[in-house]
Amino acid sequence: MKFRHVRAIAVFGIAIVALTGARGSHGGSCGGSSHSSSSSSGGTSSGTSGSDSTSGTSGTSSSSGGTTTTGGTGRDKAERDIKIDSCKLDSAGKNLVARLTVTNTGSVDYTYNVTMKFNPAAGSSAVAATARVNSLKVKAGASQQTEATAPYTGKGDGSEYKDCVVSTASKSAL
């Protein structure tokens, strides 16, 4: 075997190791993932669905009536654009409301569709509630605030809902 063949095989082997991420104990992974959760209840709004779909939960912040989730992982392209500002019972006591800020850091305008899930506290008899925001248009480089609401079927102050999370999110170019 000629020296150039040995050298080519060595370079190929190193390239395979580098591309597969065979380093440390992480195997082929480029890093870990993290999810935290929170809940709240919400309602619906109308619109269409997008194409860059994600699901799961993201980061954490607190508000009255529960914990909220924001952030996301690298895979959650639409979800990481969503920040949950608050999750609480409205002043009339009739709806669970998630206040959201959607920030489009991209270079094109997007339409967002978001499903929020309000999770009851452990041991509570409350049932999880969901709320949707559909067809929220956010211009490139801009932020848009919105609310996702769900009817509150409880008889208390909404404290039986521990947190709210983004259960699905998608975005599509306008």
Side-chain angles (χ1 to χ4, degrees), residues 80-169:
R80 67 181 171 197
D81 293 350
I82 301 166
K83 177 184 172 219
I84 302 172
D85 299 319
S86 68
C87 291
K88 59 185 176 181
L89 189 62
D90 68 5
S91 60
K94 296 185 179 198
N95 293 301
L96 293 164
V97 179
R99 291 199 169 112
L100 311 172
T101 300
V102 180
T103 302
N104 177 359
T105 58
S107 58
V108 297
D109 298 349
Y110 282 106
T111 299
Y112 288 83
N113 295 294
V114 181
T115 302
M116 298 296 298
K117 183 175 180 183
F118 296 85
N119 295 314
S124 170
S125 62
V127 177
T130 58
R132 287 195 49 82
V133 173
N134 294 315
S135 299
L136 178 67
K137 294 178 174 126
V138 183
K139 295 196 176 284
S143 293
Q144 180 76 32
Q145 292 185 326
T146 189
E147 292 183 348
T149 61
Y152 177 63
T153 58
K155 302 209 186 300
D157 62 359
S159 62
E160 66 272 27
Y161 288 94
K162 146 182 104 102
D163 59 7
C164 67
V165 296
V166 174
S167 62
T168 63

